[in-house]
Amino acid sequence: MTWVLDHLGDIAGYAGAHALLAGIPLLVGLLIALPLGWAAQRFPRLRALLIGGSGLLYTIPSLALFILMPLLLGTKILDALNVYVAMTLYTIALLVRTVADALGAVPESTRQAATAMGYRGIGRALAVDLPLAVPVLASGLRVAAVSNVSIVSVASLIGYPQLGYYLTDGYQRSFPLEIGVGIVGCLVLALVFDGAIRAGAWALTPWARVSR
């Protein structure tokens, strides 16, 4: 444990970098997935194209995508933008279906009541459908957050500094404690993300608390 105490500053720095590499794409991917998921739910003919097309992104191996990004973006191999873009694509791949399913879970009677009150199209989606879809959407967002934390660690294989560094460096040095630090750090970070999303969903659904 002396080694851990001596490297607390480095561990905190890597954890912060890991949180940014996983968290920012999660937010950006959600913003992009919301209109795509709405379109998939609103227009049945587009559903297979949008959900199937976005799902294909998740089949690309993460290491290959990290290496491919500099060629597509014209960036340097160690530019953090490569990871941000790659992780955003993975987030979109997971969330388009989630958004479509979440909006589809809103009761039809509620939609009809909102329509009778004058809500139409995007206005109804933002004011009625999306708030009611928060519980289902939050569940999918939690899965995407944990997935992002896990996938980001792979980027350490090509030199991006984050908690995955302890996994690769510990393996190369045959140092189990360092590997354990990387694993525990990723686990704690995933739990923090999960707790933050749970808290956000709780804050955004006051009617659920009242019904209980």
Side-chain angles (χ1 to χ4, degrees):
M1 294 304 295
T2 301
W3 183 89
V4 175
L5 295 176
D6 290 341
H7 292 80
L8 278 179
D10 293 335
I11 294 172
Y14 283 131
H18 202 117
L20 290 176
L21 290 170
I24 292 177
L26 187 68
L27 296 176
V28 176
L30 175 61
L31 292 176
I32 297 174
L34 284 174
L36 294 177
W38 174 82
Q41 193 277 329
R42 179 70 175 78
F43 305 105
R45 292 183 179 181
L46 293 178
R47 183 179 179 90
L49 176 64
L50 291 173
I51 293 180
S54 60
L56 286 176
L57 295 174
Y58 206 75
T59 65
I60 304 174
S62 56
L63 184 57
L65 188 57
F66 290 144
I67 295 174
L68 185 62
M69 280 296 105
L71 301 177
L72 298 177
L73 301 176
T75 55
K76 296 181 180 180
I77 187 67
L78 294 181
D79 193 327
L81 180 63
N82 301 323
V83 180
Y84 284 122
V85 173
M87 295 310 303
T88 298
L89 292 176
Y90 281 131
T91 301
I92 294 170
L94 288 175
L95 290 185
V96 171
R97 177 183 289 276
T98 295
V99 172
D101 291 345
L103 294 174
V106 177
E108 184 59 30
S109 59
T110 301
R111 290 200 181 93
Q112 293 176 357
T115 300
M117 293 174 64
Y119 289 99
R120 295 288 189 279
I122 296 178
R124 189 191 69 185
L126 294 175
V128 180
D129 296 352
L130 188 58
L132 293 177
V134 165
V136 177
L137 184 58
S139 297
L141 197 60
R142 288 166 57 198
V143 173
V146 173
S147 175
N148 279 12
V149 171
S150 175
I151 295 175
V152 163
S153 62
V154 176
S156 63
L157 294 173
I158 50 178
Y160 293 103
Q162 26 77 19
L163 289 173
Y165 163 80
Y166 293 112
L167 302 177
T168 56
D169 189 66
Y171 178 78
Q172 291 171 357
R173 298 169 56 194
S174 298
F175 190 9
L177 178 59
E178 189 175 7
I179 297 175
V181 167
I183 294 173
V184 172
C186 289
L187 176 61
V188 171
L189 190 59
L191 291 174
V192 169
F193 274 53
D194 186 80
I197 294 170
R198 282 175 176 268
W202 181 85
L204 291 172
T205 54
W207 58 84
R209 302 195 295 276
V210 172
S211 64
R212 292 194 187 98

